[in-house]
Amino acid sequence: MVPIYEKREVVRVRTATTADGEAIRAIRNHAVATSTALWTDTPQSPADAAAWLAVHPPFASSPH
């Protein structure tokens, strides 16, 4: 068995786009529901997520 830290997989990191908004919200809301990593216990609505992403760069306005 190869330990996970020895796997040589390629990871691409890119700037988030508006198309990523729902996935970002889902990740955040999962953390809200299952951990103490965030400062809140209130899930984020789609409108709140869009408003937050609009004012927190870097955030591209359209997919690449």
Side-chain angles (χ1 to χ4, degrees), residues 1-18:
M1 177 186 276
V2 177
I4 194 167
Y5 57 83
E6 290 185 13
K7 290 185 178 181
R8 307 277 180 188
E9 296 179 26
V10 175
V11 176
R12 265 183 42 191
V13 178
R14 62 173 173 75
T15 302
T17 69
T18 53

Side-chain angles (χ1 to χ4, degrees):
M1 177 186 276
V2 177
I4 194 167
Y5 57 83
E6 290 185 13
K7 290 185 178 181
R8 307 277 180 188
E9 296 179 26
V10 175
V11 176
R12 265 183 42 191
V13 178
R14 62 173 173 75
T15 302
T17 69
T18 53
D20 299 316
E22 184 55 30
I24 294 167
R25 187 177 79 86
I27 292 166
R28 182 191 182 283
N29 284 346
H30 180 268
V32 167
T34 62
S35 75
T36 57
L38 298 174
W39 63 94
T40 184
D41 59 0
T42 305
Q44 193 174 50
S45 72
D48 289 341
W52 188 91
L53 290 170
V55 297
H56 288 86
F59 193 72
S61 59
S62 62
H64 294 131

